[in-house]
Amino acid sequence: MRKLNALIAGSTGYIGVQLIKLLVKHKNVKIRYLCGNNSVGKKISYFDYSLKLKKLPTIVKFKKEYLKDVDVIFTALPNGEAQNISKSLLKKNTLIDLAADFRLNKASDYLKWYKQKHRAVSNIKKSIYALPEITGKKIKKFDIIGCPGCYPTSILLPLVPLIQKKSIDTKNIIIDSKSGYSGAGRGIHKKYKEKNLYESLSAYGIGFHRHNSEIDQELKNYTKSKIEFTFTPHLTPMFRGILSTIYIDLKSGFSIKKIEKILKQFHKKNKFVKILNNDSFISTNDVINTNNCFISICRTKYKNKIIILSAIDNLIKGGAGQAIQNMNIKFDFKYDEALK
């Protein structure tokens, strides 16, 4: 049985730890290196006790010399750092980035939204934005794989099929998303220490959240019509999970039944996307600790308007699980290996 040697850079963050917890169950992967900065010399079980009995390497500082010993590199680092690693990749290496370094197709867009120059511009064209249910086997041709953000994952899975079929008005989409605070990383407690994080709901990034850029970029791939949407994210007093509520105007000739048919047809082979019965009430609790996305189409008091609910676990389907899903496709492993 073929086994890949893996390096995880940014192994101690919420996403990094979740990635390790999934990869230790993967039959085709051996974790060779765990990399960190302030955590060098520590065991990963210091950050998650459930890993104490697993045979895992001690955390080391990343060195490009390690790349000759590994096949796949997962980067769950601050934006910009995967770009540096990408410049040292060998022919045998595949880079799977869980941050934003290879999500945008233009360096100018990266500068606009992330306020820093892209340091590996030539590698942008060598990379692919990989939402597995949409991208599919196209990623086999690429050695740099940019995984979508957690919010866009919950939003694009229902919207792409509907826009592709020209079934909804693309000029008046309203997206209201609520996430557990793990989505903001371990530094959330310092950053929002005045926000009473565990007992209050906070809107942030209003009008200009960075994920606007990739939502806009990806939706435009499926229509020549003008795309206009309003996206507002919120932090909620829970650790993990995302629920996106999407308000949509239907085009003439489309009903809720036709919308249901479009989504079920599109996702019929996508085992991690579940299109529930219309008007099903869903919660983040339905998907926590899974790689699933649950989608419910709800009617409103207006015949030409619907509401779509989309729920994921931001650390798995919106992060570590999606990265493994992409790896499984890239290397012809079992589609749901380590994700059951």
Side-chain angles (χ1 to χ4, degrees):
M1 181 187 295
R2 184 188 182 192
K3 276 212 171 191
L4 300 179
N5 286 314
L7 180 152
I8 301 170
S11 58
T12 64
Y14 291 137
I15 289 278
V17 168
Q18 181 64 72
L19 182 61
I20 295 164
K21 290 168 76 171
L22 294 173
L23 284 177
V24 293
K25 301 186 293 182
H26 202 295
K27 294 176 183 176
N28 304 96
V29 173
K30 178 183 177 182
I31 298 175
R32 186 74 184 271
Y33 296 106
L34 297 178
C35 299
N37 288 317
N38 300 327
S39 55
V40 169
K42 291 181 178 178
K43 295 285 188 183
I44 195 64
S45 56
Y46 175 85
F47 299 92
D48 193 297
Y49 190 76
S50 70
L51 293 168
K52 186 171 180 60
L53 298 179
K54 304 295 181 182
K55 291 183 178 180
L56 289 164
T58 300
I59 298 167
V60 295
K61 193 170 183 66
F62 174 81
K63 294 179 182 178
K64 64 181 181 181
E65 288 78 13
Y66 295 153
L67 296 177
K68 70 179 186 298
D69 301 324
V70 298
D71 305 291
V72 60
I73 301 97
F74 293 95
T75 45
L77 296 163
N79 294 320
E81 293 189 28
Q83 298 165 29
N84 294 334
I85 293 175
S86 78
K87 292 189 284 188
S88 300
L89 292 177
L90 306 175
K91 282 188 176 181
K92 63 178 287 190
N93 297 147
T94 293
L95 174 66
I96 301 177
D97 183 37
L98 288 86
D101 285 6
F102 295 100
R103 289 176 186 163
L104 300 181
N105 297 333
K106 296 179 182 177
S108 57
D109 286 340
Y110 187 83
L111 175 62
K112 175 184 175 181
W113 289 95
Y114 289 89
K115 309 305 179 189
Q116 55 179 293
K117 285 187 177 180
H118 203 285
R119 299 194 290 275
V121 176
S122 62
N123 281 338
I124 294 176
K125 289 183 179 179
K126 299 175 185 177
S127 69
I128 185 170
Y129 182 92
L131 181 55
E133 286 81 7
I134 309 294
T135 317
K137 294 185 178 180
K138 290 178 187 175
I139 68 171
K140 287 176 174 290
K141 299 176 183 177
F142 295 86
D143 294 322
I144 299 177
I145 296 168
C147 296
C150 49
Y151 286 123
T153 297
S154 69
I155 294 161
L156 295 172
L157 286 173
L159 282 188
V160 165
L162 300 182
I163 286 176
Q164 195 175 41
K165 289 293 185 179
K166 301 178 181 178
S167 61
I168 63 175
D169 184 350
T170 57
K171 293 182 183 177
N172 187 32
I173 301 170
I174 298 171
I175 306 162
D176 182 298
S177 296
K178 295 176 175 64
S179 173
Y181 58 81
S182 60
R186 290 194 187 274
I188 182 70
H189 306 285
K190 290 181 180 178
K191 188 176 179 181
Y192 290 93
K193 61 183 178 180
E194 307 297 330
K195 292 287 187 183
N196 193 13
L197 198 61
Y198 305 109
E199 296 181 13
S200 69
L201 179 68
S202 303
Y204 69 106
I206 300 170
F208 298 95
H209 189 279
R210 290 168 169 178
H211 286 176
N212 274 281
S213 56
E214 61 185 279
I215 296 168
D216 187 61
Q217 170 185 279
E218 293 306 304
L219 291 182
K220 283 179 177 175
N221 287 334
Y222 299 95
T223 181
K224 292 180 180 178
S225 300
K226 190 173 183 179
I227 295 281
E228 289 184 0
F229 64 89
T230 303
F231 165 58
T232 305
H234 302 75
L235 280 181
T236 65
M238 60 185 185
F239 178 64
R240 63 199 298 162
I242 284 177
L243 180 66
S244 287
T245 306
I246 308 171
Y247 301 86
I248 293 170
D249 292 344
L250 299 180
K251 282 190 174 179
S252 178
F254 286 91
S255 64
I256 191 168
K257 285 186 177 181
K258 286 186 178 180
I259 296 299
E260 178 187 24
K261 186 177 180 180
I262 291 169
L263 287 177
K264 284 187 173 179
Q265 180 67 24
F266 187 93
H267 288 298
K268 66 180 179 180
K269 293 183 180 178
N270 295 329
K271 68 179 299 176
F272 294 118
V273 180
K274 318 289 185 185
I275 310 300
L276 305 184
N277 292 333
N278 291 345
D279 299 313
S280 293
F281 296 118
I282 60 175
S283 71
T284 54
N285 194 56
D286 297 322
V287 294
I288 292 301
N289 293 314
T290 78
N291 195 53
N292 293 331
C293 174
F294 277 17
I295 295 172
S296 173
I297 311 157
C298 302
R299 67 190 78 243
T300 73
K301 59 187 176 182
Y302 304 105
K303 285 186 177 181
N304 67 325
K305 294 178 183 289
I306 58 169
I307 297 170
I308 290 182
L309 305 176
S310 178
I312 63 169
D313 184 321
N314 58 298
L315 296 181
I316 300 184
K317 184 56 179 162
Q322 184 151 257
I324 292 173
Q325 205 179 335
N326 279 324
M327 179 189 69
N328 288 344
I329 296 170
K330 166 78 177 173
F331 292 98
D332 285 319
F333 297 147
K334 193 175 177 183
Y335 188 70
D336 60 355
E337 183 62 45
L339 299 173
K340 297 173 186 174

